[in-house]
Amino acid sequence: MPVPAPVPVPPQRDVPAAETSPAAGHTADLTVLVIEDDPASGITGPELSAAAGTRVRIRTARNLTEAGRLLTDDVDCILLDLALPVPTAGTATGTGAPSPSGGSGDHRPEPAPHRAEELAVLTHVLRIAPLHAVLVLTAQDDTELAAEAVRVGAQDYLFRGELDARVLSRAIRYAVERKRADIAQHQLTESGLRAQENARLERGLLPTPLLEGSDLSFAARYRPGRSRALLGGDFYDTVRTPDGTVHAMIGDVCGHGPDEAALGVELRIAWRALTLAGLCGDRLLSTLQQVLEHERQSEEVFATLCTVDIAPDGRRAGLCLAGHPAPLLARHGRPARLLPYEDGGPALGLLPHARWPRRQVELGGEWSLMMYTDGLIEGRVGAGSSQRLGQDGMVAMVNSRLEQGLAGEELLEAAVTEVRELNGGELTDDVAVLLLGRDPERIRRRGRSAPRPGPASTASAAPASASAQRPPL
């Protein structure tokens, strides 16, 4: 018999026939591609249809060249004769079809060395049709070969001597369902592993506030706009330097993809290092702009930033704005209001020699300071509405929650939840909200409850570790 010509690799559709489940209570039609050089089984489509209880269409290919032309995406199952002539090296190599997970790699087991030649036709078919169920036909005395074929990737095997319409229809149904289950399990496993890896990576990049020894309360909420992501282009951080000053910042890299998320992490880590090194205000922001200019993917990328440095006594702060919305300050007994923003500078990455003036702000004895990204204020007010919440709407919303007595974690959770409800669903932009506060009464209660340090209790009087202050996300 002449050697078969190279077989073209047919395109694999996104959802193969083996992945498509019929509707409940309905048995779908089947299309079977039979590949054998002498189709002498004598079983016809009507016979199979009667045995299967549904219409079965049979296509017959006498060699791999014909099979390549007939292997379209509506084929449910391939019935392959293992006695077909072994394809040549060029034919068997092919170009490689996508694997069930969508990649180009083929991770199926290799045949045992002494069976490689006998199963060459099967490995070739599995390579050009990775998303189709494959049944193999073999002689009665080839049980070992049949078992090896299943191990390599076939769904089942049939002996020629036992081939009838009833057995074949049942085997085809079983093969299709098993292939569908294999593909679903493979995709589920890969998706789970990928999700675990991404979650571990992104969780490790989220900040842990360094506030050991501070009397200030801390709360944060973070919600990335990307589906199934833990990290977005928004970023925040809070640290306390040795002189007792508490530094906080929140920022937003333009865009919503993984590149923006990575740049946000770089800027946050750079800000923490520069702050601990003693930089503040314009010097710090100028250096951060240099980091941004070196790390961004294109010159169009910029980032907004808001930084505050709160004095050790907690009564005043310095404020710098780089194209970012002004924070919200709520003093005891007064409605919340936006801090002045007229003296802010441009976003980082826009102007090469920009300056960012630092404004002094009086906080008072009891206060809450909310810093946020624009994802909190750019949501819609009502599903389908073109009106956005805006800063004025946010201020009114926060004041209504303050009147209800909410504070800290509860205040942030209520605010983010209400913004989502007003938007009519999930927000498309990243949202980060940071809340710092000073409560003299809480400070006094903590001072009264703290043990007095003595020779044996100095270690136990140490403040809570920073890890205990990680915000719930």
Side-chain angles (χ1 to χ4, degrees), residues 21 117 126 158 190 204 214 276 331 333 355 364 394 396 419 432 470:
S21 300
E117 185 175 348
L126 292 174
L158 295 169
E190 282 203 345
S214 173
L276 293 175
R331 292 193 180 100
R355 288 292 177 263
M394 180 198 65
V419 168
R470 176 186 291 273

Side-chain angles (χ1 to χ4, degrees), residues 192-213:
L193 291 174
R194 191 180 303 113
Q196 291 175 13
E197 181 179 353
N198 290 342
R200 284 194 299 268
L201 175 63
E202 294 185 333
R203 191 175 294 112
L205 295 175
L206 290 170
T208 299
L210 301 181
L211 290 174
E212 184 174 345

